[in-house]
Amino acid sequence: MKYQSFVGLEIHIQLISKTKVFCSCPNHFGDEPNSNVCPVCLGYPGALPSLNEEAVFKALKVCKALDCYINEKVIFDRKNYFYPDMPKNYQITQFESPFGVDGFFNLELDDGSIKKIRIHDVHLEEDAGKMIHDGYQSRLDYNRAGTPLLEIVTEPDLVAGRDAELFVQQFRQMVRYLDVTDGNMEEGSLRCDANTSINLPGKGLGTKTEVKNLNSSRFVNKALTYEIKRHGKVIDKGGEIIQETRLWDEKTSTSKSMRTKEDSHDYRYFPEPDLPPYRVTDVLMKEVEDSMVELPNDRKKRYMDDLKLSFDQAAFITGERKTADWFDSLLSIGSDANQAASWLSGDIQKILNKEDVLLENSPFIPKRIKELFELINDKKISNNIGKEVLQAIFKEDKDPSVIVKDKGLEQVSDSGAVEKIVEEVLAAHPAVVDAVRAGDDKQVGFLMGQLMKATGGKVNPQMAREIIVNKIKLDISGDSQSRDPKIIEKGSEK
Amino acid sequence: MSIKSDRWQNLLSDDSLWKSYNEYVNKWEKSIGSFLQFDADKTKGDSSSDGLLKGMPFGVKDNIAVKGFDMTCGSKILENFNCPYTSTAVQKLQGAGAVVVGKMNMDEFGMGSSTDNSALGETNNPWDKSRVAGGSSGGSAASVAAGQVPFALGSDTGGSVRQPASFCGVYGLKPTYGTVSRYGLTAYASSLETIGICAESTAITRDVFNTMKGIDNMDNTTVDYKPSGKDDTEIIAVLKVGENDLSEDVLNSYRVSQQRLKDLGYKLIEVELPTLKYVVPAYYVIATAEASANLARFNGIRYGLAQKGAETPSDLMQMSRNSGFGDEVKLRILLGTYVLRSGFQDQYYHRAQKIRTAILNDFNRIFEEADALMLPVFPTAAFRHGSSDLTQLQQKAADLYTCSANLAGLPALAVPSTIEKGLPVGVQFTAPAFEEERLFRISEKLEEIFPAQKPEGFSEEWKI
C-alpha cells in the first residue's frame, strides 16, 4: 500500500437511565411523541438543568473500563448552535474537562493479536429531540431531548475499515457488558461517526474527512474503505482532500459531501454556568470500581487459558454477558467446562436460534442442564437421548429427570437384558455378522443402529457395542465348530 | 416592626379593604405603570398557607415564573407566554402565606437601567413622573415606593434591584450568589444574577430573604447557607470617591450617610478598590456572553412569538427573533456572540473571568479589616426618560458600584438615605458571602432613626 491511513471514531451511546440527564422526565424510547417532556427539557424560560447521578455513574463506568484518567474537576460546557430539535439552541456537553481522558482499548484483530487504541476522551452530554420531515411539514418530538448521551472519541490509531468495524463490535460488546446502554445501532442507541485521512508513510496525518450516518459496524467498514480509496485516488491525481463532513449513502455505497470546513459552526464553547464543576469523590469512584465486571476480552482469554475452550467456543460464549454469566453459573454448580461449552454452542444454541428465544429467557436454567449432564455421564441416558431430553426441556419446561421418567427413556444397562437384545439383532442379520467376522468393522455401526432402532435408543451404547463385538469375535476366536448353522442359513436366505 | 401586626394583614381576606386597595393600585398605575399584569380578582393567588408572610400581597418581576400568570420578560417575543410552572423562590413565599398579586414591568430580559427598554409599557418614578424608576427591576421598586405592595421580587444581574430601589427610595437586596434558587428566573447572565427583593422595610426584606433562601434540587448552583455568626458590625469600610465620580446630590447624600454611621457609633475606615475601573468591561463581557446563549432558546418554535410566513424552520427562528427582540437585547446578543468567537476567548471571556477573581480579592482584602463596606449605588439620582440625562453608554458605565458585587457573588443591600431635590438617594452596603444579617442590622439601625421617606400620594390606608 502506497499510503498510510488513519482512522478515528466518535461513538455516541445512549445511556440507560430512569430519567433524562438534567431533569426528571423518563428516559424511555418509543413513547407517544412529546409525552416525556417538562419545562427543563423543553428549554422553557427560567428552567435549569440538574445533573442526574445515575448518568454520571454510568459515564464513570465506561471511563474506568477504558482506563481513562478521571478529571478531578469535571466541567460542563455549552456548545452553541441553532437547530429546531435542540430546545435551548445550545447543547450541554463537555469540552475542556470531561469525565475521562487518555484511556485505551485493547482491540483484538482478526489474527488474534491485540492492538492498543488510545481513547482521547469520554464525555457526557444531552441528546437532541427528533425532527421528522413530512411533506410540507416538519414535526418535532422532544422525548429524546435531554436524554443522556455519552461520547467516546478515539485517537486516529485505527488503520483500516476492518479495524474500525472490529472496534465498533468489540466496543459495543463491552458497553453492553457494563450495562450502560443497549447498544442498538438501528434504533440509534449506538451511533458512530468516522474520521479518516491518508498520507505517505512517515508524513503523519493527512487532511481528514468525517463520515456520518453509519448505523451498523459493517457500514463503518464499507464507508471507511470507500473513503480511504477515494482519498488515494484524489491524491494520486495530484488533487487535495478537502476537510469536510460527508454522509454515507448505503443505497449507492458512496459518500457525499454534507458540509465543508468553511461552513462549519463556531460553537463558541464556554463553561455552563448553571452546573457547578462536578467533583468525582473517592467514595463514588470506589462504588464505580465495585460495580465493574470482567470485560468480554478478558473473559474470553480466561476461558481459553484456564478452561481450555477453543477460540470459537470462548468467543461465542462471551459474545453476550448474559450467556457467559449463564455458562459461569453452570460451571459453579459443578458442570464440566468442555461439556458445557460444546452443548451450549451446539444443541442448546441450535434450539434457541430456531425458536428465537434468548438463553436467559429460556427454560434452560443451569440446574436443569447440570442434571442432564449427570444423566448422560452416569450412563442413565445416552448422548443422543440427551439431545431428545434437551428438546423436551424446552418444549415442556420440565426437569430432565422428570422427562426421562415420564417418557421411560432411561437406558438399559443390565448386561443380561442387553445380551438378549443383541442376540436377537445378530440372529436377524446373519450376513452382516459374517461381514464383521470377515473383518468389516464398519458393519458394527449398522448393527448398533439396528439395536438402537429396536430399543428406541435406550440401550447403553457402549455396553451394547462391547457385547456385539465380543459375541461375534468370541465366535471367531473360539471354536468354529460351535457356530450355529441356523445363523448361516438365515444369512444365505437374503 | 413585626409584619404580623402590620397593615397588610387582612387585605386579602377583607373585601372592602381589597376594594379600596384596588382603587389605590389603579390610581397609581395611571401615573407610574409598575405592573404588567395585576390580579384584581385575586384568582391566581393562593393564601391558604399560614406562615411568616401570611396574607402579604407581593409583586413579581415579569422574568420570574408564576404559574397562571404570563411571563413576558418585558419582551414582545414572550408577550403571549402563559407560564406553566412556578419558580422555587415564589413557591417558598407562597408556602409562607404570601400571595402574588401581579407581575412587574422591567427592561426587556433585564437589560437596562431605566425600565425604558420594556417593550410592553412605560414605568415612571413615583417621586417624579418625568423620571425613570431605574432598572431593570423598575416596576418592582416603583410599586413598593408607591405602597402598592409591601415587597416585590426583582432580579439583580448588575444592580437591577439596588439601583431602582435607590431611585425610588426603598430597600433593595441582592443576596449572596447561590443562596436563593434561580429556578424559574429567566436567565440573562446566569453566573451573575440572583433573585432579589425590593421592600418597604428592612424587616420585610429579612423575612422574605430568610423564607426564600436554601438549597434547591432544581438549581445545582445553590449552596449551603453558612454565615460566620458575626452579625453585628463595628467597622465599616467606606469606598473613597472623587469629586467627579458622583453627581453633587449623590455625593452629598453619601457624605450624610457617613456622618450618620459615625453618629450611630460605627468606626469608619476609608478604602479603595483598585480593580473597580475594570469591572464594567468585565461585567459586560461575561453578561453578554452568557446572554447570547441564554436567549438562544427564544426561537418561536415551542412558545412565544412565532412570526408568520416562514418557509423553513431556520426562517421561522430568524424572523421571530428579529421581530421579537428589542434593540438593546439584539446589541447584547451580538456583543456576547462576538466575545465568545473561537480564538477571541482569551482576549475577552477568560480575561473577564480573571478580573472577576481580582475584584473578589479586592473585597476580601477589605473584609480583613472591616465587617462591611459602604459604597454608592449609582452616580446619579433618578434620571429623566430618554437619553437627555444619561446616554445608554453612560448608563452602562454607571453600573460600576453595583456590578462589582455581582462579579464577586457577594450580598449587597441598598438602603434609602436622603432626599435630594425631591428625589430619593440610597447608599449600598456589602459584606462577605452569607452575611446578609449583618447588612440587615446596619440597615435597621439607620432605618430606626432615618426611616425611608414616601412620595406624595402614598397612603398607608390605601386612601386616594
Side-chain angles (χ1 to χ4, degrees):
Chain A
M1 179 106 183
K2 187 163 146 198
Y3 300 107
Q4 211 176 349
S5 56
F6 305 89
V7 171
L9 298 176
E10 287 171 19
I11 299 179
H12 285 91
I13 54 174
Q14 286 183 332
L15 296 181
I16 299 165
S17 63
K18 266 220 263 318
T19 61
K20 293 187 180 183
V21 62
F22 298 124
C23 65
S24 54
C25 289
N27 171 20
H28 193 256
F29 180 80
D31 289 345
E32 179 78 9
N34 297 309
S35 59
N36 297 333
V37 292
C38 75
V40 177
C41 58
L42 282 180
Y44 269 56
L48 297 172
S50 50
L51 183 60
N52 174 344
E53 294 284 340
E54 191 187 358
V56 169
F57 193 85
K58 290 191 168 160
L60 288 170
K61 276 178 86 166
V62 174
C63 291
K64 185 75 202 157
L66 293 171
D67 214 25
C68 285
Y69 171 77
I70 309 290
N71 274 313
E72 261 167 66
K73 224 169 101 176
V74 175
I75 294 170
F76 288 91
D77 295 276
R78 290 185 183 179
K79 180 180 180 178
N80 295 287
Y81 63 100
F82 281 83
Y83 204 73
D85 66 5
M86 197 167 57
K88 299 185 295 296
N89 288 313
Y90 60 80
Q91 180 194 32
I92 303 178
T93 177
Q94 300 185 314
F95 187 61
E96 289 282 1
S97 187
F99 275 101
V101 291
D102 296 337
F104 68 88
F105 183 83
N106 281 331
L107 180 68
E108 197 178 289
L109 300 174
D110 285 322
D111 63 3
S113 66
I114 299 290
K115 185 170 184 193
K116 205 171 219 182
I117 306 300
R118 290 170 302 152
I119 302 296
H120 180 273
D121 77 88
V122 175
H123 62 261
L124 181 62
E125 58 191 23
E126 57 182 336
D127 209 343
K130 270 184 191 161
M131 184 150 75
I132 301 125
H133 299 286
D134 174 14
Y136 291 103
Q137 289 183 67
S138 297
R139 294 160 192 262
L140 286 155
D141 176 7
Y142 291 103
N143 279 353
R144 199 181 68 180
T147 57
L149 206 56
L150 196 69
E151 181 172 345
I152 295 90
V153 183
T154 77
E155 297 286 357
D157 290 348
L158 298 155
V159 171
R162 176 62 183 159
D163 278 8
E165 181 178 13
L166 288 170
F167 187 94
V168 172
Q169 286 169 350
Q170 290 171 32
F171 176 81
R172 177 178 178 274
Q173 192 187 26
M174 185 192 83
V175 287
R176 281 174 56 81
Y177 260 60
L178 293 171
D179 203 19
V180 297
T181 182
D182 66 20
N184 187 330
M185 286 188 85
E186 275 166 38
E187 280 179 11
S189 43
L190 193 154
R191 313 199 275 267
C192 181
D193 300 333
N195 291 296
T196 187
S197 74
I198 67 167
N199 215 339
L200 290 167
K203 295 278 186 186
L205 301 170
T207 304
K208 68 173 180 184
T209 55
E210 183 185 25
V211 195
K212 286 188 179 289
N213 199 27
L214 303 169
N215 58 10
S216 87
S217 56
R218 204 166 50 86
F219 295 169
V220 171
N221 186 351
K222 282 173 79 177
L224 282 167
T225 306
Y226 174 87
E227 271 302 285
I228 291 167
K229 213 176 274 175
R230 189 182 68 82
H231 282 213
K233 279 186 201 157
V234 171
I235 293 173
D236 279 346
K237 283 186 200 153
E240 261 180 54
I241 297 296
I242 306 160
Q243 186 173 336
E244 62 185 350
T245 302
R246 298 175 70 87
L247 268 182
W248 177 247
D249 184 348
E250 182 50 28
K251 277 182 206 136
T252 58
S253 282
T254 56
S255 68
K256 53 174 188 265
S257 182
M258 187 171 123
R259 59 168 183 258
T260 60
K261 197 191 173 192
E262 278 67 43
D263 29 76
S264 75
H265 300 283
D266 177 353
Y267 292 120
R268 307 193 310 281
Y269 287 99
F270 75 100
E272 167 57 272
D274 291 331
L275 293 167
Y278 185 89
R279 284 175 196 283
V280 180
T281 62
D282 293 346
V283 178
L284 178 61
M285 228 33 234
K286 176 82 179 38
E287 277 176 47
V288 170
E289 278 159 30
D290 290 347
S291 78
M292 292 306 282
V293 294
E294 189 182 25
L295 296 176
N297 282 346
D298 297 337
R299 205 159 184 175
K300 189 165 72 189
K301 193 168 178 311
R302 176 166 67 84
Y303 285 175
M304 289 163 67
D305 293 352
D306 299 357
L307 304 178
K308 309 293 175 209
L309 301 191
S310 72
F311 175 88
D312 287 344
Q313 278 180 330
F316 169 76
I317 295 167
T318 54
E320 289 290 339
R321 182 178 151 198
K322 282 181 173 151
T323 308
D325 285 348
W326 184 96
F327 178 74
D328 278 355
S329 82
L330 180 56
L331 263 48
S332 73
I333 53 176
S335 290
D336 173 66
N338 271 302
Q339 188 173 25
S342 60
W343 276 79
L344 179 53
S345 56
D347 291 278
I348 292 178
Q349 198 51 40
K350 226 180 282 168
I351 294 170
L352 294 174
N353 284 346
K354 196 175 144 222
E355 308 286 342
D356 197 19
V357 173
L358 290 172
L359 177 61
E360 60 270 23
N361 301 333
S362 75
F364 297 141
I365 50 179
K367 205 183 107 248
R368 283 177 172 165
I369 302 304
K370 187 208 173 200
E371 200 182 292
L372 177 66
F373 291 170
E374 280 170 357
L375 288 168
I376 295 168
N377 299 343
D378 295 347
K379 308 210 164 38
K380 297 222 168 83
I381 58 173
S382 68
N383 214 51
N384 279 340
I385 294 285
K387 292 178 184 187
E388 217 174 283
V389 173
L390 189 72
Q391 290 279 3
I393 295 174
F394 187 88
K395 290 220 171 72
E396 296 166 27
D397 197 6
K398 282 181 188 159
D399 289 348
S401 54
V402 175
I403 293 164
V404 167
K405 205 172 159 222
D406 286 357
K407 295 188 189 285
L409 292 174
E410 193 151 349
Q411 81 186 353
V412 183
S413 295
D414 170 34
S415 61
V418 176
E419 208 159 331
K420 200 167 158 250
I421 304 165
V422 169
E423 276 169 9
E424 282 167 21
V425 170
L426 294 186
H429 301 283
V432 182
V433 173
D434 278 350
V436 175
R437 198 171 284 141
D440 187 359
D441 279 353
K442 275 187 234 152
Q443 296 292 341
V444 175
F446 171 79
L447 294 172
M448 281 293 291
Q450 293 304 310
L451 186 77
M452 287 300 166
K453 209 166 133 192
T455 59
K458 282 190 297 182
V459 172
N460 182 333
Q462 245 176 304
M463 182 183 275
R465 193 182 179 90
E466 254 170 51
I467 293 173
I468 292 171
V469 171
N470 284 343
K471 270 213 168 299
I472 298 173
K473 289 204 174 159
L474 272 178
D475 285 353
I476 298 166
S477 58
D479 183 10
S480 62
Q481 299 303 314
S482 66
R483 267 199 271 163
D484 185 349
K486 264 200 301 191
I487 292 176
I488 301 168
E489 264 170 47
K490 276 204 174 172
S492 60
E493 265 171 21
K494 192 192 154 210
Chain B
M1 178 169 63
S2 161
I3 300 172
K4 288 271 177 206
S5 60
D6 101 343
R7 64 203 172 97
W8 301 97
Q9 256 313 289
N10 302 314
L11 173 61
L12 290 146
S13 51
D14 183 329
D15 284 347
S16 66
L17 222 50
W18 178 257
K19 196 168 164 258
S20 66
Y21 168 73
N22 244 298
E23 284 163 8
Y24 180 81
V25 167
N26 288 335
K27 187 212 78 176
W28 268 110
E29 275 309 278
K30 281 177 196 133
S31 60
I32 62 169
S34 59
F35 284 92
L36 284 173
Q37 201 179 1
F38 181 73
D39 183 21
D41 303 325
K42 292 185 288 180
T43 52
K44 302 182 196 333
D46 169 17
S47 59
S48 58
S49 293
D50 197 4
L52 187 62
L53 304 172
K54 169 115 185 112
M56 286 258 261
F58 70 108
V60 177
K61 188 178 181 179
D62 210 20
N63 60 350
I64 299 172
V66 185
K67 191 176 175 171
F69 284 89
D70 292 343
M71 177 159 71
T72 68
C73 298
S75 180
K76 275 190 190 155
I77 209 160
L78 287 177
E79 197 173 358
N80 61 5
F81 180 69
N82 192 260
C83 194
Y85 75 108
T86 298
S87 56
T88 303
V90 169
Q91 246 174 26
K92 286 188 168 190
L93 295 174
Q94 288 171 332
V99 177
V100 181
V101 292
K103 300 297 292 286
M104 316 315 297
N105 199 12
M106 58 182 285
D107 285 306
E108 188 175 1
F109 288 105
M111 298 177 179
S113 307
S114 62
T115 311
D116 283 353
N117 292 340
S118 170
L120 305 176
E122 186 178 290
T123 297
N124 301 320
N125 193 306
W127 293 79
D128 178 347
K129 319 299 184 280
S130 72
R131 291 174 186 272
V132 302
S136 63
S137 312
S140 301
S143 65
V144 173
Q148 293 175 311
V149 282
F151 74 92
L153 297 186
S155 65
D156 193 314
T157 311
S160 282
V161 162
R162 289 161 288 157
Q163 185 256 26
S166 176
F167 278 16
C168 295
V170 301
Y171 297 82
L173 175 72
K174 172 226 166 299
T176 306
Y177 187 81
T179 59
V180 175
S181 170
R182 287 183 297 115
Y183 187 75
L185 166 64
T186 306
Y188 155 27
S190 318
S191 75
L192 298 165
E193 65 206 1
T194 63
I195 286 179
I197 304 154
C198 289
E200 63 177 24
S201 71
T202 309
I204 292 178
T205 312
R206 175 194 279 123
D207 283 349
V208 171
F209 170 70
N210 285 331
T211 302
M212 290 197 300
K213 75 172 195 279
I215 286 190
D216 178 15
N217 291 335
M218 301 300 279
D219 177 0
N220 283 190
T221 64
T222 51
V223 291
D224 250 342
Y225 196 71
K226 31 180 196 271
S228 68
K230 188 185 184 310
D231 296 332
D232 288 312
T233 292
E234 290 144 52
I235 303 168
I236 297 176
V238 176
L239 180 71
K240 187 179 172 184
V241 291
E243 293 282 333
N244 301 321
D245 292 339
L246 306 175
S247 74
E248 200 186 321
D249 298 335
V250 175
L251 188 64
N252 181 48
S253 179
Y254 194 60
R255 290 192 172 138
V256 170
S257 295
Q258 286 177 52
Q259 189 54 48
R260 286 174 179 176
L261 291 170
K262 268 188 217 160
D263 294 346
L264 284 167
Y266 291 110
K267 189 180 168 219
L268 303 190
I269 52 169
E270 200 172 56
V271 295
E272 288 179 60
L273 282 171
T275 44
L276 199 62
K277 57 179 173 292
Y278 304 115
V279 300
V280 170
Y283 168 77
Y284 275 96
V285 165
I286 293 169
T288 59
E290 293 180 4
S292 71
N294 282 330
L295 271 63
R297 68 187 62 198
F298 305 110
N299 60 4
I301 291 182
R302 284 143 297 130
Y303 50 76
L305 178 73
Q307 196 60 31
K308 288 198 172 67
E311 301 263 330
T312 65
S314 144
D315 270 359
L316 173 64
M317 290 197 275
Q318 275 184 31
M319 289 164 72
S320 304
R321 288 168 71 78
N322 190 35
S323 53
F325 287 141
D327 288 346
E328 183 64 25
V329 173
K330 285 177 186 166
L331 174 73
R332 295 196 194 191
I333 291 173
L334 283 171
L335 265 175
T337 307
Y338 180 84
V339 301
L340 283 177
R341 277 174 315 153
S342 138
F344 288 78
Q345 295 214 346
D346 282 343
Q347 200 176 331
Y348 296 108
Y349 191 73
H350 295 153
R351 209 161 165 198
Q353 295 293 1
K354 280 179 195 151
I355 295 170
R356 201 167 178 170
T357 310
I359 186 76
L360 178 61
N361 290 340
D362 250 6
F363 279 122
N364 285 339
R365 185 177 45 77
I366 288 168
F367 292 135
E368 277 170 21
E369 329 170 48
D371 303 310
L373 167 68
M374 179 177 103
L375 61 177
V377 179
F378 200 78
T380 70
F383 48 86
R384 278 171 292 182
H385 285 293
S387 301
S388 56
D389 286 350
L390 286 177
T391 63
Q392 288 272 358
L393 185 65
Q394 285 170 323
Q395 289 177 32
K396 288 186 175 74
D399 284 340
L400 81 166
Y401 300 114
T402 45
C403 73
S404 45
N406 299 84
L407 288 166
L410 301 180
L413 179 65
V415 178
S417 172
T418 61
I419 305 298
E420 306 286 337
K421 300 197 186 87
L423 293 174
V425 175
V427 67
Q428 181 184 201
F429 297 92
T430 180
F434 312 116
E435 302 301 340
E436 276 82 357
E437 181 54 32
R438 206 183 280 174
L439 301 179
F440 295 144
R441 291 199 183 184
I442 297 170
S443 174
E444 230 160 20
K445 274 200 173 179
L446 284 166
E447 187 179 0
E448 248 173 66
I449 304 165
F450 307 101
Q453 304 294 296
K454 305 295 182 187
E456 201 187 315
F458 176 93
S459 158
E460 292 222 343
E461 285 88 34
W462 312 297
K463 295 218 174 84
I464 300 167

